[in-house]
């Protein structure tokens, strides 16, 4: 199995809103293949922006984001990073069938012996006779959980090494949430993907993550708000209650 | 869906028939005291179907209708193709989009009928004149709507597509144009009305050619109120049919968007 690591060193990026400058300062981040990492933080603290910066979609002020060596910097659309966006209704094109939607990821992949569309569905839905039917359906005919999986299927079909998820558990029922949890573990451990999740669900983050990052506000004055990133390596001896208390203290 | 279409057609024709009746009685009332005016409906209908005197020709209504519809279709098709092309090119770049707004708005606010006068000094009354004026008058709503449709594609969608690494042509055909298509369609609907109006008006003002507008002018000059009325109603009927054909497509916009999307090109 190949091994790659996505690194972000001394990362700094800014955003200006009406009231103050928002500064994300000196972030250090890493995720390897086969690893699941969660990013936690309050609403509006810049989790999605961080995800966009890490994937190469958003400009940053200073620092470096690279895969394995510092020369191999992350740029989109060439880098093997795929984002599964929160709003699947925007990213799945309603005028294309599921098959055509997944097939759009064909241009992203540079691998010779690539996975087939049907195989991606088998990974996500199991070896199910309905899979071929799903391929011919349109996104509007699918449930929220199924649409989320079709986005993941697209990521798998693109053969991207790292898959970023922006709040995948928002607006899905508990059964789907648990099933997605299994999917994330499977993607990391069996498909050898590097998984990065943005989530508000501490339970989910605790259950599946090898490592967690918490974005918190470290300093605030009249003109600047400064945010830092803290890494928490999961210690199996730590109880969930203690973990939750620690995260809440940070937030 | 079939029932809906049939119902729509039925109600359109019913409304149209009732308006025709009112118009007929109105014409009879207005011209009741005019002497030497033929108010016989059967004679007028006969005259309408077999025109005895139009620019010295004996012709029939179908020939005139096809002549007008031919000009209209050429105008509308050219305006649609050019409008979508220009609107997309302007909308893809935020700077050209911003600057072109001022120019487009200048032409857009001009009443389209002005172009008939504006270009008559540049062109003699030829086929090219009708095409030029027709396209120039009806292209603006198509350009504006296409441009705003292309511009409104939101950030998440742009980023999702960027990540997919689609080549420009595929990005345009699979995503940008289908996404902007409802806006483009609305622009085309406005363009359709303007194109039809301009074609009829051109024929009416310069009736050297055969066409429904020319025929209306001829019978108006000859004070044949009932024939003029039938011609006006016939033009209205053509408008209803064109609108109905457009609405037929509109009931399946998703299919139309898919046609863009799955077009593989050359």
């Amino acid at each position: 199995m190949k091994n790659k690591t996505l690194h972000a060193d001394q990362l700094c990026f800014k955003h200006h809103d009406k009231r103050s400058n928002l500064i994300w300062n000196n972030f250090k981040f890493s995720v390897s293949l086969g690893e699941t990492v969660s990013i936690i933080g309050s609403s509006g603290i810049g989790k999605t922006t961080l995800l966009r910066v890490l994937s190469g979609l958003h400009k940053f002020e200073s620092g470096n984001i690279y895969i394995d060596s510092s020369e191999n910097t992350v740029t989109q659309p060439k880098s093997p990073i795929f984002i599964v966006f929160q709003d699947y209704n925007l990213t799945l094109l309603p005028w294309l069938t599921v098959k055509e939607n997944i097939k759009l990821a064909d241009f992203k992949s540079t691998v010779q012996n690539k996975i087939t569309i049907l195989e991606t569905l088998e990974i996500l839905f199991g070896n199910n006779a309905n899979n071929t039917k799903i391929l011919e359906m349109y996104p509007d005919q699918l449930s929220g959980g199924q649409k989320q999986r079709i986005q993941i299927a697209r990521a798998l079909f693109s053969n991207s090494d790292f898959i970023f998820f922006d709040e995948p558990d928002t607006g899905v029922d508990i059964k789907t949430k648990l099933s997605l949890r299994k999917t994330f573990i499977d993607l990391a451990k069996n498909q050898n993907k590097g998984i990065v999740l943005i989530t508000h669900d501490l339970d989910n983050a605790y259950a599946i993550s090898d490592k967690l990052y918490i974005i918190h506000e470290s300093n605030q004055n009249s003109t600047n708000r400064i945010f830092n990133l803290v890494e928490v390596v999961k210690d199996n001896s730590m109880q969930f209650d203690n973990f939750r208390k620690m995260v809440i203290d940070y937030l | 869906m079939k029932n809906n279409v049939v119902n729509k057609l039925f109600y359109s024709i019913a409304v149209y028939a009732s308006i025709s009746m009112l118009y007929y009685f109105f014409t009879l009332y207005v011209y009741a005291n005019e002497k030497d005016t033929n108010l016989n409906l059967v004679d007028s209908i006969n005259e309408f179907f077999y025109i005895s005197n139009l620019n010295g020709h004996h012709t029939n209504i179908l020939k005139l209708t096809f002549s007008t519809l031919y000009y209209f279709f050429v105008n509308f098709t050219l305006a649609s193709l050019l409008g979508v092309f220009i609107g997309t090119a302007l909308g893809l770049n935020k700077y050209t989009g911003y600057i072109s707004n001022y120019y487009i708005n200048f032409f857009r606010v001009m009443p389209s009928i002005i172009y008939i006068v504006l270009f008559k000094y540049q062109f003699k009354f030829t086929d090219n004149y009708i095409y030029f004026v027709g396209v120039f008058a009806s292209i603006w709503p198509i350009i504006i709507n296409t441009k705003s449709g292309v511009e409104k594609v939101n950030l998440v969608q742009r980023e999702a597509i960027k990540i997919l690494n689609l080549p420009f042509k595929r990005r345009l055909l699979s995503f940008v144009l289908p996404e902007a298509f409802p806006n483009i369609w609305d622009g085309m609907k406005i363009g359709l009305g303007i194109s039809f109006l301009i074609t009829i008006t051109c024929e009416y003002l310069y009736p050297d050619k055969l066409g429904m507008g020319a025929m209306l002018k001829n019978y108006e000059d000859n004070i044949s109120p009932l024939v003029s009325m039938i011609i006006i109603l016939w033009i209205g009927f053509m408008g209803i049919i064109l609108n109905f054909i457009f609405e037929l497509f509109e009931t399946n916009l998703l299919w139309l968007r898919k046609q863009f999307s799955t077009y593989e090109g050359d």
Side-chain angles (χ1 to χ4, degrees), chain A residues 38-45 47-48 86 166-170 177 197-205 240 244 247 251:
Chain A
S38 293
I39 300 172
I40 299 169
S42 319
S43 294
I45 208 161
K47 299 183 296 298
T48 302
Q86 185 181 359
D166 188 4
E167 299 189 29
D169 41 18
T170 305
K177 197 182 276 190
L197 285 173
I198 282 182
T199 183
H200 284 290
D201 187 341
L202 291 184
D203 183 28
N204 210 14
F240 177 65
R244 185 167 56 190
V247 172
L251 297 179

Side-chain angles (χ1 to χ4, degrees), chain B residues 156-169:
Chain B
V156 172
Q157 288 173 309
R158 281 178 199 266
E159 289 187 338
I161 292 300
K162 186 178 179 183
I163 281 189
L164 290 170
N165 195 22
L166 298 179
F168 176 75
K169 193 175 110 185

Side-chain angles (χ1 to χ4, degrees), chain B residues 26 57 71 84 110 122 126 165 170 203 226:
Chain B
F26 176 74
H57 291 96
Y71 284 124
V84 170
M110 290 257 218
Q122 275 76 40
T126 57
N165 195 22
R170 191 107 301 272
E203 290 171 349
L226 277 189

Side-chain angles (χ1 to χ4, degrees), chain A residues 52 56-57 76-78 81-83 85 90-91 93-97 100 104-105 107-108 138 154, chain B residues 154-157 159-167 170 173-175 178-179 254 257-258 261-262:
Chain A
R52 292 171 66 230
L57 285 172
Q76 282 300 350
K78 299 287 176 196
I81 298 172
F82 204 97
I83 298 189
F85 288 93
L90 287 176
T91 56
L93 309 181
W95 50 86
L96 295 182
T97 60
E100 288 160 339
L104 284 177
F107 295 95
K108 178 92 175 165
Y138 284 87
R154 202 192 244 177
Chain B
N154 84 24
L155 183 70
V156 172
Q157 288 173 309
E159 289 187 338
I161 292 300
K162 186 178 179 183
I163 281 189
L164 290 170
N165 195 22
L166 298 179
R170 191 107 301 272
L173 293 173
S174 290
F175 176 65
E179 183 63 31
L254 201 69
R257 291 165 103 179
K258 193 174 167 61
S261 210
T262 47

Side-chain angles (χ1 to χ4, degrees), chain B residues 3-72:
Chain B
N3 276 344
N4 274 343
V5 172
V6 173
N7 281 347
K8 232 175 189 176
L9 187 63
F10 175 76
Y11 287 122
S12 299
I13 291 175
V15 168
Y16 172 79
S18 60
I19 290 171
S20 305
M21 290 290 287
L22 286 174
Y23 192 15
Y24 171 61
F25 289 122
F26 176 74
T27 312
L28 286 186
Y29 171 74
V30 169
Y31 289 92
N33 297 324
E34 295 275 343
K35 288 178 181 173
D36 303 328
T37 305
N38 185 4
L39 289 177
N40 186 318
L41 187 61
V42 177
D43 284 354
S44 300
I45 290 172
N46 281 337
E47 180 68 25
F48 170 75
F49 279 109
Y50 187 76
I51 289 105
S52 56
N53 184 21
L54 182 65
N55 303 334
H57 291 96
H58 290 273
T59 181
N60 69 50
I61 183 65
L62 284 181
K63 271 189 188 171
L64 298 179
T65 305
F66 282 125
S67 168
T68 301
L69 286 182
Y70 173 76
Y71 284 124
F72 158 74

